[in-house]
Amino acid sequence: MKEIPTSQQYTITPIGTVHSCFGEKFAVPRQPGLVPSARGYIELTPPFNHPDMVVGLEDCSHIWVQFLFHQCLDRGWQMKVRPPRLGGNKKMGVLATRATHRPNGLGMSVVRLTNIETTHQSVRLHIQGLDLVEGTPVVDIKPYVPYADSITDAHYPFAQEKPDIMDVYFQDAAEQHLTLAKPNLEDRQWLRQLIIEVLQQDPKPAFHQPSPEREYGAKLGGHNVKWRYLNQRIEVTAIE
Ligand code: SAM
């Protein structure tokens, strides 16, 4: 673990907390926008929980969320990391990647802003397409400004396209679990779509060679979702 000298330290205070459909770090998408059905909200915390803080933001379609990779901070940072997009076996400088184990543990994601709910003491920014786990501390929010932030000739040679996706299939038992888990049709359709979009990204670490017996699981949309790698596709086995 590498540490930063105390003489160079500044204090940063989170302004809010993410409440996310991703209950644990495993299976959170590797970038924002890869799972459009992902949803959650940012709850501003005192003294930042004042409606005045967000006046005008309701007219913006997307926001930059700057946050702390709080579940990794205790493991410090690394100069070189193995990005999953490179198969997990090639090392790159941390600053050439979007990896979590970075100096200061700061992340940034562009997400869709669907709604802002305010009362006199509560401000909630509802967001979609997030790649953030439940409880992520938010340190700043800014509007996404297309003319400045969308760079049409930008390139990142290490991952030029979105990752390939896998086929996802629900076993009969999982379909039944889904009906029990979400009796309301709209909720059920959303959870099904969320599971498909998440698993299509193949959340397992790149170096895993899963046997058909091995069951994976993650907390998605408030449910424990289980799956296996069978027949070159992902099969959802249970939703609890
Ligand atoms: N878009 C952000 C960025 O570029 O800074 C995050 C990219 S990072 C590769 C995304 C991964 O961070 C997710 O797949 C998840 O494993 C992890 N993650 C999300 N929220 C986290 C948190 N609060 N603490 C630690 N890791 C987190």
Side-chain angles (χ1 to χ4, degrees):
M1 187 206 288
K2 297 192 180 302
E3 289 184 4
I4 296 170
T6 48
S7 59
Q8 295 173 25
Q9 289 184 357
Y10 297 86
T11 305
I12 199 158
T13 307
I15 63 166
T17 305
V18 173
H19 295 285
S20 169
C21 61
F22 302 113
E24 61 184 281
K25 191 155 73 68
F26 180 55
V28 175
R30 296 182 178 109
Q31 287 302 333
L34 292 175
V35 174
S37 298
R39 66 187 188 202
Y41 61 89
I42 301 168
E43 176 105 53
L44 298 186
T45 41
F48 310 105
N49 59 337
H50 196 285
D52 282 358
M53 291 286 286
V54 291
V55 171
L57 197 61
E58 70 278 6
D59 292 329
C60 305
S61 68
H62 290 77
I63 52 173
W64 282 104
V65 180
Q66 292 174 290
F67 59 93
L68 285 164
F69 289 113
H70 75 305
Q71 290 196 8
C72 297
L73 293 176
D74 57 341
R75 293 181 50 202
W77 59 285
Q78 296 164 8
M79 283 196 194
K80 290 186 113 183
V81 295
R82 296 175 198 272
R85 279 306 295 278
L86 301 183
N89 45 28
K90 188 169 180 251
K91 280 196 159 186
M92 288 177 63
V94 67
L95 300 185
T97 77
R98 307 280 284 257
T100 52
H101 294 99
R102 49 202 317 116
N104 299 312
L106 282 169
M108 45 185 253
S109 295
V110 175
V111 296
R112 181 179 291 280
L113 176 67
T114 56
N115 181 29
I116 303 181
E117 250 185 292
T118 56
T119 62
H120 71 291
Q121 265 187 349
S122 154
V123 180
R124 284 184 179 184
L125 287 75
H126 292 268
I127 56 177
Q128 282 181 0
L130 59 161
D131 56 349
L132 309 169
V133 72
E134 170 65 25
T136 296
V138 172
V139 296
D140 204 357
I141 292 166
K142 298 183 188 190
Y144 178 87
V145 180
Y147 86 84
D149 296 346
S150 167
I151 300 170
T152 51
D153 63 342
H155 73 284
Y156 182 68
F158 309 107
Q160 310 220 26
E161 303 287 337
K162 284 185 179 181
D164 291 339
I165 57 172
M166 287 193 71
D167 285 333
V168 178
Y169 172 87
F170 285 66
Q171 292 188 348
D172 289 345
E175 291 283 11
Q176 287 167 17
H177 296 164
L178 192 57
T179 309
L180 290 173
K182 296 281 187 227
N184 175 284
L185 179 63
E186 206 177 310
D187 293 345
R188 183 154 74 243
Q189 285 171 336
W190 168 73
L191 181 60
R192 197 172 201 284
Q193 187 61 22
L194 178 73
I195 294 170
I196 291 172
E197 290 174 9
V198 167
L199 297 188
Q200 277 179 335
Q201 304 293 323
D202 191 5
K204 75 171 159 39
F207 61 86
H208 276 204
Q209 299 287 336
S211 65
E213 296 77 45
R214 180 161 184 175
E215 194 167 55
Y216 288 80
K219 202 157 194 189
L220 301 175
H223 296 274
N224 287 314
V225 178
K226 299 195 170 157
W227 68 93
R228 292 178 200 265
Y229 291 79
L230 296 167
N231 312 315
Q232 307 294 326
R233 66 186 182 190
I234 290 179
E235 297 200 5
V236 182
T237 53
I239 299 163
E240 295 163 354

